[in-house]
Amino acid sequence: MTRFDPVGPLRGELRPPPDKSVTHRAALIGAMADGPTRITGYLDSEDTRATLRAVEAVGARVREGEPDEHGGLFVEVEGVGLRGARSAEIDVGNAGTLLRLMPGWLAGQPDGEWSFDGDESIRRRPVDRIADPLRLMGAAVESRDGLPPLRIRGTGLHGIDYELPVASAQVKSCLLLAGLLADGETTIREPIRTRDHTERMLAAMGAPLRREGDALIVSSAERLEAGDVPVPGDFSSAAFFIAGALLVPGSEVSLREVGINRNRIGLLAILSRMGVEMGGAHEDGRAMTVHEIREPGPEPIATLHVRSASMHGAEISAEDVPTTIDELPLLALLACFAEGETVVAGAEELRAKESDRISGVVEGLVGLGGDLEGRPDGFVVRGTSGVRGGRLDARGDHRLAMVGAIAGLASQEGVEVDGFEAVAVSYPRFERDLRALLA
């Protein structure tokens, strides 16, 4: 159990750890390419280690360099090509992204067999959302009543026209990878835009991919071109420092080289609706500024400067969820300090994460003195000027563990986080970086 007590202002600057979503994709798509893919700023965490082991298991060669000052690695992945994966049994650990993306590639291999399994949490995460459309493409896929273990036998695939029933970047990405090995065109329709890291990376490697309105269309490919992939700072990790700076009076924090993919930063739009004033580099007095914007690779990055600010409640609908899905538990904490009521709806996907994040965040914050009510597809938060403090059970979920830490800094009495070690899944250095801003 780790304790976080109320503090004075958060001050200083840091670069958040490398982006977990981009890291997973860089290793996986690098394994599909011909030649070496050089990844700078590879996130060194339990989840992303699972992806390196997985690509090695199917034949890719991995070479690692020393970590940089932000915990990122240099990793070179020598790919096996689009159709060169060998059979393997793959342990994904707790990595849901790996579980849902890699099967798309393997399902279209000329031959071979693969199994995917993981920890207790992974075994509760549905795989039918990828298995069903893959079967429509002709894939040989088996699961345990829609749950892992997942078994795949390589076979010929054909393109389909498929509308995503649930907005999911992971399902979309799985089908894009499968479409590269399928006969004809594969069309994926997403009525609500989701994060587009996979499309950006595939396009940079020469994949035959285009967008027409709400549809992504991918054609069969012979090869992907290896290259250099710089991984930006993780916005979802930066979000915890944004929240801490907003909530603790007198705070002022700069976050450097943060990925600002437009389909990933929905939290900023929601904060603006909650009354947080935003602007560019020269707009003094704003609670948050976004500046030094550049594009060193497929993903744009920027510096975020954040000061403490007051907020009011807002309504978050299904249209907001895909670009904010990882930040919604943190938003529940912010709403505890906001004036009025905040309603989150259309977020039933939160129940299929590392834990049931709706019940986890509602019960956790109520236990700290918040006024929250869970709903099947979200929650309602009635602002009470903050939280008292107490104990929060992270339920083995890294996001809930970090919510508990930020709650403790902004609380009246402090918070003990039970199971804080779960942060190692995505951000092993989180406590050290957070306490560096308290010095």
Side-chain angles (χ1 to χ4, degrees):
M1 189 176 298
T2 305
R3 183 174 180 84
F4 295 86
D5 288 309
V7 296
L10 278 65
R11 298 276 182 164
E13 68 171 39
L14 59 81
R15 184 192 191 275
D19 189 290
K20 184 158 75 88
S21 294
V22 175
T23 296
H24 280 302
R25 287 160 171 81
L28 179 55
I29 296 174
M32 300 168 63
D34 289 337
T37 294
R38 294 168 294 274
I39 308 165
T40 52
Y42 190 98
L43 175 65
D44 188 4
S45 73
E46 291 180 4
D47 271 14
T48 53
R49 284 282 174 188
T51 297
L52 289 182
R53 291 192 295 269
V55 300
E56 285 185 305
V58 301
R61 287 183 293 177
V62 174
R63 181 175 69 86
E64 293 184 29
E66 292 297 317
D68 61 28
E69 61 181 312
H70 311 297
L73 299 172
F74 171 81
V75 172
E76 184 178 86
V77 178
E78 183 79 31
V80 298
L82 275 174
R83 296 169 177 83
R86 68 189 181 201
S87 298
E89 295 183 358
I90 296 169
D91 180 358
V92 305
N94 190 245
T97 300
L98 174 60
L99 174 68
R100 288 179 177 155
L101 267 64
M102 196 172 191
W105 172 36
L106 300 178
Q109 297 297 301
D111 52 48
E113 295 185 1
W114 298 267
S115 65
F116 289 82
D117 203 355
D119 65 13
E120 183 180 350
S121 170
I122 278 291
R123 285 193 156 207
R124 297 192 299 268
R125 301 184 72 172
V127 292
D128 52 353
R129 59 187 58 184
I130 62 166
D132 290 347
L134 285 176
R135 291 189 186 106
L136 293 176
M137 299 177 75
V141 183
E142 298 178 1
S143 67
R144 177 177 56 89
D145 297 325
L147 300 171
L150 183 70
R151 293 180 174 81
I152 298 168
R153 178 171 50 83
T155 188
L157 303 180
H158 56 80
I160 59 172
D161 190 319
Y162 186 76
E163 181 168 338
L164 296 174
V166 176
S168 171
Q170 293 180 350
V171 177
K172 174 182 66 174
S173 297
C174 174
L175 299 182
L176 285 174
L177 301 185
L180 293 171
L181 291 92
D183 291 335
E185 291 187 336
T186 297
T187 300
I188 305 155
R189 303 183 186 277
E190 49 171 0
I192 301 176
R193 291 279 183 100
T194 62
R195 59 183 64 175
D196 63 353
H197 303 308
T198 302
E199 300 97 290
R200 287 172 178 261
M201 201 173 297
L202 288 176
M205 292 184 168
L209 175 70
R210 68 185 189 275
R211 176 174 283 279
E212 296 179 1
D214 68 353
L216 278 165
I217 303 166
V218 61
S219 304
S220 180
E222 291 301 316
R223 66 197 307 267
L224 295 177
E225 298 287 346
D228 296 338
V229 181
V231 179
D234 193 319
F235 179 82
S236 294
S237 294
F240 291 92
F241 302 112
I242 291 172
L246 288 172
L247 294 180
V248 178
S251 295
E252 190 165 349
V253 173
S254 286
L255 304 165
R256 297 180 284 104
E257 298 179 40
V258 180
I260 55 165
N261 183 308
R262 67 184 182 279
N263 294 316
R264 185 73 180 275
I265 56 173
L267 176 67
L268 299 186
I270 292 173
L271 288 176
S272 180
R273 298 196 324 243
M274 295 177 74
V276 176
E277 293 188 359
M278 299 192 186
H282 304 295
E283 298 185 60
D284 294 335
R286 304 282 178 145
M288 185 181 300
T289 58
V290 181
H291 56 102
E292 297 176 3
I293 300 170
R294 55 194 179 92
E295 293 193 30
E299 301 285 337
I301 64 173
T303 293
L304 309 180
H305 190 79
V306 192
R307 299 183 178 94
S308 56
S310 59
M311 291 166 283
H312 56 73
E315 292 193 6
I316 292 87
S317 66
E319 287 71 25
D320 298 306
V321 169
T323 61
T324 323
I325 187 68
D326 288 333
E327 291 73 57
L328 290 177
L330 185 61
L331 185 65
L333 174 63
L334 289 165
C336 289
F337 290 77
E339 181 180 348
E341 186 174 84
T342 296
V343 180
V344 173
E348 56 271 14
E349 180 72 5
L350 284 175
R351 295 197 183 276
K353 292 292 185 178
E354 284 85 337
S355 68
D356 178 342
R357 285 184 177 160
I358 291 177
S359 65
V361 75
V362 169
E363 292 175 17
L365 293 179
V366 166
L368 302 183
D371 184 357
L372 295 86
E373 171 193 342
R375 293 182 176 177
D377 66 341
F379 47 81
V380 178
V381 185
R382 287 169 281 271
T384 56
S385 300
V387 294
R388 179 187 64 254
R391 179 178 173 181
L392 184 142
D393 183 358
R395 301 188 176 194
D397 191 317
H398 57 126
R399 304 282 181 204
L400 294 184
M402 290 187 275
V403 166
I406 301 300
L409 302 187
S411 69
Q412 299 169 22
E413 301 173 2
V415 172
E416 292 183 336
V417 182
D418 189 5
F420 181 75
E421 63 275 6
V423 299
V425 165
S426 64
Y427 196 166
R429 297 156 55 102
F430 173 72
E431 183 177 7
R432 188 178 81 176
D433 285 354
L434 181 60
R435 295 199 187 279
L437 297 176
L438 309 179

